[in-house]
Amino acid sequence: MAWAYNRALGASTALIAHGEFAASTLKNVVGVEKILLSSHGDFEPRSAMARVRAEKVLGTNLAPHDPVVSIIGNLKPGKGTDRVIACLPLLRAGGIQLLLVGSPVGNAGLERRLAHFGQSAGVHKAFRRLTIDEEEAAYSASDVVLAVYESGFSSGVIATAHAFGKPVVLTDVGDLKRQALPGDFVLRPEWTNSELLGAIQVVLSRPRCPDSERLESGDKWLAPWRQLAGLISDAV
């Protein structure tokens, strides 16, 4: 898959990267000389659906008083899912429940690893390709979204979490740190279980921006996307 991916990228006249790490990697590994650099912002602010409706859409039954920490999207290797699962006993001791929503792409043993912790591990899952409503429900039900990647350049998960007003705990890999907001927590790539729990607790303790203020932010979120569109237009 990596070979096919790099070959497709290599056939491009120009590539747009969202950070210096991605630009350097694309130039050195893929061999495309014309790399255009443009940061991107979060997606358009959105209102979260009610918790009751979100649970119904996902088919889950979340504990009403325990914070929900989630991993959303393709649950593929390199996304940190296995390391978070290994942290389950500590998360549960801290009163935190874990929501795993998405398709276990290339991660066939995920169910088996979860089964090791039994039914009372505070894990809620929906293993399937998500519909638009299910994706919205997953972000809506989350108190904190995890993007603890082991590799990667940038993340639509981070941008989507911010669109729903959800804080993110992310790792400092690739160009992910460029997407962090003041309410997020950036972990070192070699984080320990206790560091993950501490990061989640710090994020949960911070005040949240009121939805009214976030949704009435005008078109500030559009600025980086307009810049990106202009860059693409100039490139072609």
Side-chain angles (χ1 to χ4, degrees):
M1 181 178 286
W3 173 83
Y5 185 68
N6 288 339
R7 183 178 180 184
L9 291 176
S12 305
T13 302
L15 293 172
I16 295 176
H18 297 307
E20 290 82 359
F21 180 85
S24 174
T25 302
L26 289 169
K27 186 172 183 178
N28 296 330
V29 175
V30 181
V32 175
E33 286 298 321
K34 191 172 185 181
I35 307 291
L36 308 175
L37 192 62
S38 176
S39 61
H40 66 77
D42 297 327
F43 300 139
E44 182 177 7
R46 301 173 65 181
S47 296
M49 65 172 64
R51 177 76 166 264
V52 173
R53 184 184 167 211
E55 290 187 63
K56 184 176 181 179
V57 170
L58 293 173
T60 58
N61 187 23
L62 301 170
H65 303 298
D66 292 344
V68 177
V69 171
S70 64
I71 300 178
I72 303 169
N74 289 333
L75 306 174
K76 58 187 178 182
K79 199 164 186 175
T81 309
D82 290 348
R83 291 179 66 188
V84 173
I85 289 174
C87 189
L88 270 174
L90 192 60
L91 293 180
R92 285 308 295 150
I96 294 167
Q97 53 190 326
L98 177 65
L99 175 64
L100 299 175
V101 181
S103 179
V105 176
N107 207 351
L110 194 55
E111 285 274 21
R112 185 185 71 253
R113 288 189 288 278
L114 283 173
H116 172 74
F117 293 98
Q119 295 297 315
S120 60
V123 180
H124 309 272
K125 58 185 186 293
F127 288 166
R128 55 185 175 267
R129 179 175 288 277
L130 302 178
T131 65
I132 294 175
D133 279 352
E134 287 171 337
E135 182 182 52
E136 180 179 341
Y139 285 101
S140 298
S142 304
D143 293 297
V144 179
V145 175
L146 299 183
V148 287
Y149 298 109
E150 295 159 14
S151 61
F153 295 146
S154 61
S155 170
V157 168
I158 297 173
T160 307
H162 291 161
F164 280 95
K166 306 296 182 174
V168 182
V169 172
L170 62 145
T171 39
D172 186 8
V173 299
D175 296 309
L176 265 66
K177 188 176 181 179
R178 294 171 62 96
Q179 294 182 254
L181 294 181
D184 297 336
F185 195 107
V186 181
L187 284 169
R188 63 193 184 99
E190 304 82 11
W191 54 268
T192 64
N193 290 358
S194 59
E195 286 174 336
L196 177 64
L197 175 61
I200 293 170
Q201 290 173 330
V202 167
V203 168
L204 287 170
S205 69
R206 289 172 176 161
R208 302 280 282 274
C209 175
D211 274 359
S212 57
E213 180 180 328
R214 184 175 58 84
L215 295 171
E216 294 172 5
S217 59
D219 64 354
K220 293 178 182 178
W221 64 274
L222 271 175
W225 296 103
R226 286 176 176 147
Q227 179 188 18
L228 179 58
L231 195 65
I232 295 171
S233 178
D234 293 341
V236 298

